[in-house]
């Protein structure tokens, strides 16, 4: 047990160190961008005195390391600063946006994860048969298409031609659950198609790898049906790699929604980030980047811990 706890603690510590390193990269990356923040806020007609006053107000005259630690200390205490473009509190603006992004990612995951595992099991059950080749071919085609192309295809056929769902995913407070589900139908479908193929193919590969083991041959000799062998012996032993793939794709659902949110004008964190990148609103870009990094690293830590816990050799060390 002590060995297991030690491995878990190492993963968590490594994740925190990685997040700290990412925070440095985010801060440095935003600081070396060309242009002057004060100039972009006040415009080209600003006087030198007005620019100097604003730089002093924003702390731009302080050394870079002082500004970094000030920013990091604020982030650790929930103070993300103020948006330069509109003067609004970033944390307040992000709370609703983050909720919308998580809502979209949650429903995409609810559909994609079980469907990917089921399709993977079906493909293994009919290995090298017509069903396996059909599923593999469709998923390979889905992987080959970028998410913006899938999104535009859904908009054209489902929203424009069939008029089943709106092409613009407008959600707001007080909106009924059914209206909200209808609004996110197309972006959720786009995300589902993007991550479904990868999860299904990795599920199939993980189970097929386990199927080469000696205890599978023993189960076959006992007279178990192929479905029973997969369900009772192969799938439980392939959980660790499957969980890793699922967690990586869940991280993508949260972090990689930027393109999908822009396509469907969905009011999530991705759309918020893109809007403020265009305005060169550095504090917003830093806050969004660190939140995305924290979500991605956190889900990867969960995947590592799950893989460790599901490994009998680590749960019961000799």
């Amino acid at each position: 047990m002590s060995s297991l706890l030690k491995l878990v603690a190492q993963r968590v510590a490594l994740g925190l160190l990685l997040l700290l390193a990412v925070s440095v990269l985010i801060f440095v990356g935003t600081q070396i961008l060309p242009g002057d923040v004060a100039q972009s806020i006040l415009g080209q007609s600003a006087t030198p005195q007005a620019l100097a006053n604003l730089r002093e107000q924003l702390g731009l005259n302080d050394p870079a390391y002082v500004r970094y630690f000030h920013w990091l200390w604020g982030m650790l205490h929930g103070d993300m600063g103020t948006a330069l473009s509109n003067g609004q509190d970033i944390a307040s603006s992000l709370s609703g946006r983050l909720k919308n992004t998580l809502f979209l990612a949650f429903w995409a995951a609810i559909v994609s994860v079980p469907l990917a595992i089921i399709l993977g099991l079906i493909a293994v059950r009919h290995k090298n048969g017509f069903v396996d080749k059909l599923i593999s071919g469709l998923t390979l085609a889905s992987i080959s298409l970028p998410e913006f192309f899938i999104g535009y295809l859904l908009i054209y056929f489902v929203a424009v031609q069939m008029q089943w769902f709106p092409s613009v995913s407008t959600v707001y407070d007080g909106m009924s659950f059914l209206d909200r589900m209808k609004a996110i139908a197309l972006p959720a479908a786009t995300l589902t198609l993007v991550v479904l193929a990868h999860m299904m193919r990795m599920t199939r590969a993980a189970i097929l790898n386990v199927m080469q083991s000696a205890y599978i041959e023993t189960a076959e000799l006992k007279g178990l049906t192929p479905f029973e062998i997969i369900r009772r012996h192969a799938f439980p032993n392939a959980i660790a790699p499957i969980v890793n793939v699922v967690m990586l794709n869940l991280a993508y659902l949260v972090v990689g929604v930027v393109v999908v949110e822009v396509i469907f004008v969905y009011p999530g964190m991705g759309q918020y980030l893109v809007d403020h990148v265009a305005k060169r609103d550095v504090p917003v870009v830093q806050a969004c980047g660190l939140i995305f990094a924290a979500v991605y690293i956190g889900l990867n830590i969960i995947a590592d811990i799950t893989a460790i816990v599901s490994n009998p050799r680590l749960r019961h060390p000799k």
Side-chain angles (χ1 to χ4, degrees):
M1 188 54 129
S2 61
S3 175
L4 180 60
L5 291 175
K6 183 178 178 181
L7 286 172
V8 171
Q10 287 176 347
R11 294 297 191 279
V12 173
L14 184 61
L16 293 175
L17 286 174
L18 181 59
L19 184 59
L20 181 62
V22 170
S23 72
V24 175
L25 289 176
I26 291 172
F27 185 84
V28 172
T30 54
Q31 296 303 308
I32 63 176
L33 289 174
D36 183 4
V37 174
Q39 189 80 64
S40 64
I41 295 173
L42 296 179
Q44 296 298 323
S45 60
T47 64
Q49 185 60 45
L51 290 172
N53 292 338
L54 183 58
R55 290 192 188 99
E56 184 65 31
Q57 179 184 343
L58 297 177
L60 298 177
N61 295 327
D62 295 333
Y65 71 90
V66 173
R67 285 183 278 122
Y68 167 73
F69 284 113
H70 179 75
W71 168 70
L72 184 61
W73 181 258
M75 291 293 293
L76 292 174
H77 289 79
D79 180 12
M80 299 181 183
T82 304
L84 301 179
S85 56
N86 53 25
Q88 295 180 353
D89 181 65
I90 297 175
S92 301
S93 301
L94 278 178
S95 60
R97 298 274 186 162
L98 179 59
K99 182 176 68 174
N100 289 339
T101 294
L102 293 177
F103 183 80
L104 174 61
F106 172 78
W107 286 106
I110 286 293
V111 176
S112 60
V113 173
L115 187 58
I117 293 175
I118 291 171
L119 289 176
L121 292 172
I122 293 174
V124 172
R125 172 64 182 83
H126 301 280
K127 178 185 175 184
N128 297 326
F130 172 76
V131 174
D132 181 25
K133 292 178 180 178
L134 177 63
I135 294 175
S136 298
L138 291 175
T139 54
L140 183 61
S142 179
I143 291 175
S144 303
L145 298 176
E147 57 262 40
F148 70 86
F149 186 73
I150 295 175
Y152 286 131
L153 283 179
L154 290 177
I155 289 174
Y156 179 74
F157 288 106
V158 181
V160 178
Q161 296 295 324
M162 301 178 184
Q163 297 185 356
W164 288 354
F165 299 104
S167 59
V168 177
S169 301
T170 303
V171 296
Y172 51 86
D173 292 337
M175 194 176 189
S176 69
F177 178 75
L178 290 179
D179 288 340
R180 188 180 287 265
M181 292 299 293
K182 185 176 180 180
I184 70 165
L186 292 187
T190 302
L191 287 173
T192 297
L193 291 174
V194 169
V195 301
L196 173 66
H198 185 231
M199 286 192 291
M200 174 268 154
R201 292 178 70 85
M202 292 304 296
T203 298
R204 178 183 180 275
I207 296 175
L208 285 177
N209 184 55
V210 172
M211 293 288 285
Q212 308 299 320
S213 303
Y215 58 84
I216 298 297
E217 296 182 7
T218 304
E220 292 173 347
L221 293 174
K222 290 181 179 179
L224 294 178
T225 63
F227 179 77
E228 283 294 309
I229 293 173
I230 294 172
R231 184 181 68 85
R232 294 173 54 184
H233 298 282
F235 181 69
N237 287 283
I239 283 292
I242 292 174
V243 167
N244 272 303
V245 172
V246 168
M247 286 299 176
L248 286 174
N249 282 276
L250 289 181
Y252 173 80
L253 285 177
V254 179
V255 178
V257 296
V258 176
V259 173
V260 174
E261 288 185 358
V262 171
I263 291 172
F264 293 97
V265 200
Y266 182 73
M269 279 192 62
Q271 180 70 47
Y272 184 72
L273 173 61
V274 170
D275 289 344
H276 286 79
V277 166
K279 300 172 184 176
R280 206 181 184 281
D281 202 327
V282 173
V284 174
V285 175
Q286 291 173 338
C288 291
L290 193 60
I291 290 174
F292 279 140
V295 171
Y296 192 85
I297 293 172
L299 288 174
N300 275 274
I301 291 174
I302 294 174
D304 285 345
I305 293 175
T306 304
I308 291 172
V309 172
S310 62
N311 189 335
R313 288 174 296 181
L314 296 176
R315 290 202 315 267
H316 308 286
K318 294 182 179 180

